[in-house]
Amino acid sequence: MKPLVQSKALYERAREVIPGGIPGIRAPENFVPGAYPVLLRGGRGGHVADVDGNDYVDLLLGYGPISLGHAEGEVDGAAAAYAANGFCLNLPQPVMVELAERLVTLVPSAEQALFFKTGSDATTAAVRIARAHTGRSKIIRCGYHGWHDWCAEEDASVLSFPYNDIDALELLLRGHPEQVAAIVMTPVGHDFDAQIEEPRAGFLQAVRDLADAHGTVLVFDEVRTGFRVHLGGAQAIYGVTPDLTALGKAMANGYPVTTLVGSRVVMQSAESTFISSTYFSNGMEMAAALATLSVLTREAALDDIAEKGSRLRREMAGLVEETSLPVSLSPYPQMPFLHFDDSEQPGLRDRFYGALAQAGVFAHPRHHGFLCWRHDDADLARVLDGMRAAALAL
Ligand code: PMP
């Protein structure tokens, strides 16, 4: 591993002209300062390269959008071919209709679709549509839904409940009769700095039933699980259909396009509110999404990812047992994660993940990882070797 000289120098330059140098969740303090690079130069397949020329097996994949692999020729080719003809036009293009039609065939809750640029756009549109649809204002939420004000802080109109706690949700609904416009939740529990949680048996159906009983719109935030755990999202696995679903990330292999899909009757309330942006109808990203969905489907890439993930998970479980590493393991093979409860042994997590980065594996210490279609057996072997070395060094 080459020393992180360029990372350090560029970070110093960035601090002069950008608040904090590296804003938001990508700030060096959120990794292990000194052990992780601060800036990356590029990516190919299941790897990323830092500005000092070090290569890493990438287990974070841009926080989820890279479902196939970095610089995937078929997707980038489709986007470039589209862009060559102009993609930011006065009016939407046929590709928007095609993508909406594609989503309607893939996602159980989808009868109609709207398109956006970010996950935050899609969840915020869901809130606005649910409020227009119900004439109510309160939102009950569970999970991370983006950076916009309604989900950044709790106030009188936005309440929250813990994942898998149906009693807490019922109490909130009863306490605010005929006031709750929407329940917005991730169908899978995946909070920052916590292990991923599967829904308890019957939990999602119980949420569906409560939403119906209270005349509340049910919104699944599948920005992370969509096109990742299943082409139809987690809702296709658990057999519970929400009214609205926010999707993004894995849909376009990194290109900025997200969507809100849902039942015709709820989606049509979009017409009685205002949702608009200069860039929402750009066709290039939609062409990239269609190409990504085409590869995901044709190659059964999600099955391949799940199979590789299951192998990796088995090996990781063996390693954890052998080395008595104080961690829990993600239940989803597509989203591997060794989570340290840092209150137990402070510092252990940073030493482990710092050593892993130095062994050429880019995994986030506090955020679950992802696997992509292009990860190969050699990549998985490097991940396991790195984990073994890091665990033994503790
Ligand atoms: N919902 C979920 C479940 C997410 O994971 C994220 C992003 N991490 C968002 C919403 C927000 O998406 P974006 O960062 O694209 O605005």
Side-chain angles (χ1 to χ4, degrees), residues 51-304:
V51 287
D52 287 286
N54 296 303
D55 172 76
Y56 304 82
V57 173
D58 184 7
L59 284 189
L60 190 54
L61 298 172
Y63 288 86
I66 303 300
S67 44
L68 300 175
H70 294 284
E72 184 64 37
E74 190 167 337
V75 177
D76 295 343
Y82 195 93
N85 197 35
F87 67 92
C88 180
L89 308 179
N90 309 335
L91 296 172
Q93 300 112 64
V95 69
M96 181 175 86
V97 185
E98 265 177 69
L99 182 55
E101 286 170 346
R102 191 89 178 85
L103 293 171
V104 166
T105 66
L106 288 175
V107 183
S109 59
E111 290 177 348
Q112 296 198 322
L114 284 165
F115 296 102
F116 310 98
K117 298 276 64 128
T118 71
S120 303
D121 292 339
T123 57
T124 300
V127 164
R128 193 159 298 175
I129 290 171
R131 283 176 169 158
H133 187 71
T134 56
R136 303 172 177 178
S137 65
K138 286 197 198 306
I139 303 296
I140 299 181
R141 52 169 292 211
C142 172
Y144 177 78
H145 310 298
W147 71 279
H148 292 170
D149 281 351
W150 74 268
C151 43
E153 53 215 43
E154 227 170 285
D155 60 23
S157 65
V158 182
L159 314 160
S160 70
F161 72 103
Y163 187 74
N164 264 333
D165 190 342
I166 196 70
D167 295 339
L169 174 62
E170 183 162 19
L171 216 59
L172 284 176
L173 284 164
R174 287 214 181 144
H176 303 88
E178 298 189 18
Q179 294 169 45
V180 180
I183 300 164
V184 185
M185 62 178 293
T186 58
V188 168
H190 48 54
D191 283 341
F192 189 67
D193 202 7
Q195 188 50 275
I196 307 183
E197 275 184 82
E198 290 179 281
R200 288 205 188 107
F203 170 65
L204 294 176
Q205 186 58 49
V207 173
R208 175 72 272 183
D209 294 345
L210 276 178
D212 290 341
H214 289 265
T216 295
V217 174
L218 177 58
V219 183
F220 278 180
D221 176 350
E222 298 226 44
V223 167
R224 225 181 287 173
T225 46
F227 313 106
R228 176 64 66 184
V229 298
H230 190 286
L231 279 173
Q235 61 195 266
I237 297 178
Y238 297 109
V240 175
T241 306
D243 301 296
L244 299 175
T245 306
L247 297 149
K249 298 214 178 193
M251 178 168 77
N253 203 46
Y255 286 83
V257 53
T258 62
T259 183
L260 183 73
V261 303
S263 71
R264 193 178 309 277
V265 59
V266 178
M267 287 294 283
Q268 281 194 336
S269 293
E271 293 184 61
S272 52
T273 180
F274 182 73
I275 298 168
S276 175
S277 161
T278 306
Y279 301 111
F280 283 170
S281 66
N282 279 8
M284 180 187 72
E285 303 84 312
M286 295 178 189
L290 279 169
T292 303
L293 294 175
S294 153
V295 180
L296 283 173
T297 310
R298 187 187 71 223
E299 303 292 338
L302 295 188
D303 294 342
D304 175 70

Side-chain angles (χ1 to χ4, degrees), residues 11 22-34 36-37 60 63 192-193 349-350 353 362-367:
Y11 185 42
I22 308 290
I25 193 171
R26 291 175 170 82
E29 305 80 68
N30 285 325
F31 296 92
V32 182
Y36 278 70
L60 190 54
Y63 288 86
F192 189 67
D193 202 7
R349 172 187 56 203
D350 284 6
Y353 276 98
F362 197 112
H364 199 298
R366 295 178 187 80
H367 189 296

